[in-house]
Amino acid sequence: MTAPVADRSNALHAGAWWLWALGLAAAASRTTNPLLLALLVAVSGYVVAVRRTAAPWARSYGAFLKLGLAVLVIRLVFTVLLGSSVPGTRVLFTLPEIPLPYWAQGIRLGGPVSAEGVAFALRQALRLATLLVCIGAANALANPARLLKSLPAALYEVGVAVVVAMTSAPTLVADMARLRSARRLRGRKDKGPAALVRVAIPVLEGALERSVALAASMDARGYGRTAAVPAAVRRTTAVLTLGGLLGVCVGSYGLLTTVGGAFGLPLLLAGLAAALGGLYLGGRRSVRTRYRPDRWGARAWAVSLSGVAVAAVTVWAAGAYPQAMNPPAVPLTAPELPLLPAAGVLLGLLPALVAPVPARPAARPQKEVQ
Amino acid sequence: MIRFEDVSVVHPGAPAPAVAGVDLTVPEGELCLLVGPSGVGKSTLLGTVSGLVPHFTGGTLHGRVTVDGRDTRTHRPRELADLVGTVGQDPQAHFVTDTVEDELAYGMESLGLPADTMRRRVEETLDLLGLTDLRERPIATLSGGQQQRVAIGSVLTTHPKVLVLDEPTSALDPAAAEEVLAVLQRLVHDLGTTVLMAEHRLERVVQYADRVVLLPGPGQAPVVGTPADVMGVSPVFPPVVALGRLAGWSPLPLTVRDARRRAGDLRERLASVPTVPASGAPDAAGVVGVPAAAAGPSPLPAVAPGAGAVEEAGTPETAGRGGPDGRGGLWSRLRTRLGSGNAASPKGRSGAPGPAGGAPAAAVPSPAAPAGAPGDADGPGTGGPFAEAAGLSVRRGPVPALRRVDLTVRRGEAVALMGRNGAGKSTLLGTLVGLHAPSSGSVTVGGRTPHRTGPRELLRHVGLVPQDPRDLLTASTVAAECEAADRDAGAEPGTCRALVSALLPGVDDAAHPRDLSEGQRLALALAVVLAAEPPLLLLDEPTRGLDYAAKARLVEHLAGLTARGHAVVLATHDVELAAEVAHRVVILADGEVVADGPSAEVVVSSPTFAPQVAKVLQPQRWLTVRQVAAALGEAS
């Protein structure tokens, strides 16, 4: 099946992208083999490169890549400065050791840096970085506004609030720039942090005025219209939601402590069920309908299942090939690529084939320049 | 459809009602226009229909407003949402979602309409408003006219019986305004929608109205009647009505077409006035309101101009330059003889200053020479260009905003930049104050390169009043703002405050700048900029939200400034303002200069940018009612 050009009617469900990305992330969490991790990053990067849109959030992938790189660097620096928990024999170099007082024993500053320690740290860091990059891929590919639209009806209004906040953020940045240039018009300095601080108050004033106007507009357009719901249903909703949340809290506590092992899990499940029931009933108060919600079609299944498949193969491989999936740092060996898990990771490329191709705007949308 | 029964509204903390004694009915399917000077409570009255006043804004509503039988006292705005569609002054504050299609659907989603109905109506509305190509575009990337159409569309999808619009065309260029009005017209005619709309720019809307409701003053009872009747008594009226009043036509014409059909004898009378367009270009630098800027095409160019100028020196606006008047006359005569008039004449007749007209026209000294008159009195920079852009290109992000623009501005000259939303007008102004660095070409202001000059120094050479004057105002009271402006400019304490009082008396020292009316805010921003006495003053869309009185004051001040040798460049959609103020009009399209020449030449030949008077009196080259009045005085 070839991928069509994306439009509103065949847009891939945002949830499918998230499932796919979480699948890759789960796979990354089961291995420290740098070759496999690099393969995962490559897979996610390739899919992002061929399927991301021109939307602002699509640019976040680069930021996540940089974040991953920062994780690597920080971990490396700490390993070099503080030493490693892994005993190593191949000393790369030795830093002068700084003696610490007795109460800080167990912490070492400086000293020998071993190849094993560095390799171990880098593999661990690479795993975390890969996880972050996978999340970044979901961020870049899935439209956050559409994702929020898929929330249950009772949470819809929260979703709208988040969407409004997201769309007003660029406006705030534009206001900031405009007011800074206005400082120049007054003959004041328009550069430097002081200028930035000075415009903060007018920017906030403007934002406040705008949000009041927006609230008026939303009110006039029917935001918050509710259906009449029988009092019994209303009360049941409240009881279920509150009781459910309480159950979830106590249940998780029970699961995490040794005492409550017996009642923890059932209570957690019962709480979850009650909370979901409350959300469902709460949705009946809302009269909203949804305009062209993203449909969960065959392509969404393919994309999400490819992510799940990657995760499943890696989990299975972690048990079947422990040596290859988590190569030991001591003794230090060159990692080898386990073929079967690698082939499994390549399943994650499926979205690059089946997900609709974003339409490339023929001409860049003319930004209003006044 | 809408019934006001003895309605009055008192805002919280206000001593007097903002609106009082409103007792009227707007029948179904009528386009009702609400007019009046600013601050008379037009927006408040509109708000009572959607229920936002008083449910959202607070305050007390006396009397009763019913919409299709629903009382707004007992129905909150959200419960009227299926009946009343409201679009406020700022479309950007109206948008809840991020793309066009979602925005159109938002109101229907709130009402809980079934999915297939929503889909059908969105498609219909996209077609009705011509938005089909934009359906998936993020709203933030649309132009002003497109945004206004999306805002109207977003309330149309719920099929409201009543549409309430607050200044729907004020921010739009003439073509976009026509677009929006055509849509409203279609709604009223085809769907029987009742439209209640407030608008300052009457020249754009009054001919579409079935009925006009005039609010003469704050708290005064409205005057209701047919457009022609109300325009006869209204303190605010468009130029075509002013012309009708001047010529004594009854009933008053509301459209250019009506007026043209009556104007035969007026044209004859004016044709016999030899001065007509003649005081023209040479005198242009002097004053506004005098028949200005049309040297070329006069049938009798040679003798008349001097006489005309002397005659008209009596009008108050000319008082400022009483001295050089005689010389101005001489100058004009000389200039006309020496050929700027003759040179311009063939071009004027051909009527179309083509794209090529740009650079050469700028170079022709015709509009500038007269700077001699004010310039002589003032000294510096006589004749030479004060600000100059050569081959100027500017990019805003990835978008080229200006392409190879050539522009020269001389002292004592007023230049209007026109063109559709997004044509690069604001970018050009911004580049002149160094907000944007050119990507190629050069720009100099008073011999300096703006973007490399420090703000403090640049302030003494050029000042810009931005589109939203609020951007300039940061203090919490008018007095503090003025003190800060004096400090910034290094002017003597009290300079700015004195300027404010001169521009517009009655601005309260203790008021917060954000609480001022549009006109007061503009006066304050203008004073803040003028405190540094910049020889070049830039104004970006200065008449947005101004009523005719405030606009007339602005015109007068700008005329005074050019007479004292300041150069003024204003970017505007307001063709009437350009006709009143500018000696030269520069039209931008897609960042390029497509026309540059004396106002009369550029403007009269353009169907979009011609002021009403010019349209009525074509092929004669009159631009404003004042010119006609002066000429008629001459003739009699």
Side-chain angles (χ1 to χ4, degrees):
Chain A
M1 86 186 174
T2 52
V5 172
D7 58 30
R8 176 99 187 202
S9 56
N10 65 9
L12 197 67
H13 199 285
W17 282 124
W18 273 97
L19 275 180
W20 168 80
L22 289 175
L24 293 193
S29 71
R30 306 306 285 205
T31 176
T32 53
N33 185 329
L35 293 177
L36 270 185
L37 289 173
L39 192 61
L40 277 167
V41 171
V43 164
S44 78
Y46 178 71
V47 173
V48 168
V50 297
R51 284 298 182 270
R52 74 167 163 185
T53 58
W57 60 81
R59 275 175 248 143
S60 65
Y61 189 67
F64 276 90
L65 277 179
K66 282 182 202 146
L67 189 64
L69 215 57
V71 167
L72 282 179
V73 171
I74 291 170
R75 186 69 203 261
L76 189 63
V77 168
F78 270 80
T79 307
V80 168
L81 286 183
L82 299 177
S84 167
S85 56
V86 183
T89 50
R90 304 179 191 195
V91 175
L92 293 175
F93 53 90
T94 308
L95 289 177
E97 191 164 347
I98 299 164
L100 290 175
Y102 71 98
W103 45 264
Q105 272 172 11
I107 300 176
R108 201 190 69 187
L109 260 184
V113 178
S114 70
E116 288 90 343
V118 169
F120 179 76
L122 278 182
R123 286 174 191 175
Q124 298 278 325
L126 188 60
R127 183 165 69 176
L128 181 57
T130 308
L131 252 156
L132 284 171
V133 169
C134 290
I135 303 296
N139 253 307
L141 291 168
N143 180 338
R146 298 270 188 85
L147 187 69
L148 287 165
K149 273 195 134 183
S150 316
L151 287 177
L155 295 180
Y156 190 89
E157 322 248 296
V158 182
V160 168
V162 176
V163 171
V164 167
M166 277 189 334
T167 46
S168 61
T171 327
L172 268 177
V173 174
D175 276 3
M176 209 80 171
R178 225 181 55 240
L179 285 162
R180 275 177 84 171
S181 55
R183 282 183 62 78
R184 185 181 171 85
L185 302 179
R186 292 289 296 263
R188 301 169 187 170
K189 281 214 286 207
D190 59 340
K191 301 201 170 71
L196 203 62
V197 172
R198 291 280 161 74
V199 300
I201 289 180
V203 164
L204 288 180
E205 275 177 347
L208 204 65
E209 271 180 16
R210 213 174 17 246
S211 46
V212 169
L214 179 63
S217 149
M218 285 171 72
D219 199 8
R221 291 170 71 190
Y223 177 79
R225 272 163 85 108
T226 49
V229 175
V233 175
R234 256 199 337 261
R235 267 180 238 122
T236 323
T237 310
V239 169
L240 278 180
T241 314
L242 284 178
L245 288 179
L246 200 68
V248 169
C249 291
V250 177
S252 343
Y253 178 78
L255 262 187
L256 295 176
T257 52
T258 44
V259 230
F263 68 86
L265 192 62
L267 199 59
L268 179 67
L269 290 179
L272 267 179
L276 287 177
L279 276 182
Y280 169 74
L281 276 184
R284 286 180 44 182
R285 253 174 78 75
S286 163
V287 295
R288 295 195 64 88
T289 46
R290 280 174 205 182
Y291 175 75
R292 296 185 82 178
D294 290 336
R295 268 192 291 269
W296 191 281
R299 289 170 196 281
W301 279 116
V303 168
S304 50
L305 285 182
S306 78
V308 173
V310 172
V313 168
T314 339
V315 169
W316 164 78
Y321 310 92
Q323 280 288 319
M325 293 297 283
N326 293 298
V330 185
L332 193 61
T333 48
E336 50 185 280
L337 189 68
L339 284 182
L340 211 57
V345 167
L346 288 180
L347 282 179
L349 284 175
L350 191 62
L353 296 176
V354 299
V357 185
R360 297 269 168 229
R364 256 194 98 81
Q366 272 280 316
K367 187 130 178 74
E368 173 151 10
V369 188
Q370 288 211 343
Chain B
M1 181 55 65
I2 313 171
R3 263 182 79 82
F4 297 91
E5 290 169 56
D6 196 24
V7 170
S8 66
V9 179
V10 186
H11 285 310
V19 174
V22 181
D23 207 27
L24 71 108
T25 309
V26 182
E28 185 169 355
E30 192 167 85
L31 199 160
C32 183
L33 181 64
L34 195 56
V35 304
S38 44
V40 293
K42 293 193 294 294
S43 298
T44 307
L45 196 60
L46 292 183
T48 60
V49 178
S50 60
L52 287 173
V53 176
H55 289 290
F56 194 87
T57 57
T60 320
L61 175 83
H62 297 280
R64 196 151 78 128
V65 182
T66 50
V67 184
D68 198 24
R70 278 188 231 175
D71 191 334
T72 60
R73 283 183 305 184
T74 52
H75 290 77
R76 298 203 294 169
R78 65 189 68 158
E79 288 147 9
L80 293 165
D82 55 327
L83 189 61
V84 183
T86 311
V87 181
Q89 280 180 16
D90 179 9
Q92 278 180 352
H94 176 90
F95 298 130
V96 183
T97 64
D98 51 352
T99 63
V100 172
E101 208 175 334
D102 284 328
E103 189 62 36
L104 293 184
Y106 179 80
M108 294 189 290
E109 287 184 323
S110 297
L111 299 182
L113 296 181
D116 48 349
T117 313
M118 288 201 278
R119 185 67 200 277
R120 199 185 64 234
R121 287 195 190 168
V122 166
E123 300 299 330
E124 284 167 4
T125 310
L126 286 171
D127 282 340
L128 182 70
L129 299 181
L131 292 169
T132 317
D133 296 338
L134 308 174
R135 62 187 303 162
E136 305 211 349
R137 284 267 296 273
I139 292 172
T141 62
L142 302 182
S143 75
Q146 291 168 335
Q147 286 188 347
Q148 188 74 50
R149 276 186 291 154
V150 173
I152 292 177
S154 72
V155 299
L156 282 185
T157 47
T158 57
H159 285 196
K161 290 185 176 173
V162 175
L163 206 52
V164 177
L165 305 164
D166 199 351
E167 304 223 18
T169 73
S170 283
L172 303 184
D173 61 65
E178 296 277 325
E179 247 169 56
V180 168
L181 289 166
V183 166
L184 292 180
Q185 183 82 333
R186 202 163 155 196
L187 291 176
V188 172
H189 284 219
D190 297 356
L191 303 179
T193 312
T194 311
V195 176
L196 181 61
M197 138 168 103
E199 179 63 64
H200 276 310
R201 300 217 173 152
L202 294 179
E203 64 271 17
R204 288 179 172 178
V205 296
V206 77
Q207 67 264 36
Y208 298 110
D210 296 308
R211 216 143 52 113
V212 174
V213 175
L214 165 70
L215 293 175
Q220 290 180 23
V223 178
V224 186
T226 63
D229 289 346
V230 175
M231 282 302 115
V233 296
S234 168
V236 289
F237 46 85
V240 71
V241 169
L243 193 66
R245 285 188 182 184
L246 180 72
W249 294 327
S250 173
L252 284 168
L254 297 174
T255 62
V256 168
R257 184 164 174 268
D258 286 351
R260 265 196 82 78
R261 295 170 63 186
R262 303 265 188 74
D265 63 322
L266 181 65
R267 273 199 293 270
E268 243 163 62
R269 272 164 76 198
L270 286 171
S272 68
V273 181
T275 46
V276 187
S279 62
D283 234 38
V287 200
V288 174
V290 190
S298 161
L300 308 161
V303 199
V310 175
E311 282 289 325
E312 282 134 24
T315 53
E317 294 79 15
T318 50
R321 54 179 282 273
D325 248 342
R327 219 165 33 151
L330 191 69
W331 250 106
S332 338
R333 218 169 317 172
L334 259 175
R335 284 211 45 74
T336 325
R337 286 256 163 82
L338 287 178
S340 107
N342 295 336
S345 143
K347 192 159 73 171
R349 285 221 181 84
S350 76
V364 170
S366 68
D376 279 359
D378 230 6
T382 308
F386 182 72
E388 202 163 15
L392 176 67
S393 298
V394 178
R395 301 181 77 85
R396 302 279 299 266
V399 189
L402 291 177
R403 306 169 211 244
R404 294 176 303 282
V405 167
D406 296 304
L407 180 78
T408 315
V409 183
R410 293 177 169 80
R411 283 179 183 253
E413 183 181 31
V415 179
L417 294 178
M418 305 189 78
R420 59 179 90 86
N421 293 74
K425 303 186 293 293
S426 298
T427 306
L428 183 50
L429 293 187
T431 311
L432 287 173
V433 284
L435 294 180
H436 317 297
S439 56
S440 69
S442 71
V443 55
T444 53
V445 172
R448 281 159 188 78
T449 310
H451 67 279
R452 298 221 186 85
T453 311
R456 280 193 81 81
E457 202 205 331
L458 196 64
L459 189 62
R460 273 168 245 289
H461 294 93
V462 53
L464 167 69
V465 179
Q467 206 163 50
D468 187 350
R470 274 178 295 197
D471 291 354
L472 270 191
L473 309 174
T474 49
S476 56
T477 64
V478 171
E481 198 68 72
C482 288
E483 279 165 30
D486 292 338
R487 266 200 313 280
D488 291 337
E492 249 174 64
T495 313
C496 177
R497 179 64 231 189
L499 276 166
V500 174
S501 307
L503 287 169
L504 183 60
V507 177
D508 187 5
D509 253 346
H512 193 288
R514 278 180 186 265
D515 291 337
L516 299 176
S517 76
E518 300 271 356
Q520 291 175 324
R521 210 149 46 207
L522 179 69
L524 179 58
L526 202 55
V528 162
V529 168
L530 288 177
E533 298 199 356
L536 175 61
L537 176 66
L538 311 174
L539 298 147
D540 196 352
E541 206 56 62
T543 55
R544 195 173 176 172
L546 293 193
D547 60 12
Y548 288 99
K551 223 158 91 174
R553 269 198 305 274
L554 177 71
V555 166
E556 222 171 277
H557 296 308
L558 294 183
L561 284 174
T562 49
R564 284 196 304 265
H566 289 265
V568 175
V569 179
L570 58 155
T572 184
H573 292 316
D574 190 334
V575 294
E576 308 296 337
L577 176 79
E580 295 253 11
V581 175
H583 309 130
R584 229 172 80 209
V585 170
V586 174
I587 295 182
L588 291 176
D590 284 337
E592 292 179 50
V593 173
V594 296
D596 180 351
S599 303
E601 274 179 36
V602 175
V603 144
V604 169
S605 58
S606 154
T608 330
F609 295 113
Q612 287 193 316
V613 173
K615 286 180 182 166
V616 171
L617 297 178
Q618 250 178 356
Q620 296 172 359
R621 304 190 154 236
W622 303 96
L623 296 183
T624 65
V625 179
R626 267 202 273 183
Q627 291 174 3
V628 176
L632 287 179
E634 193 100 348
S636 58

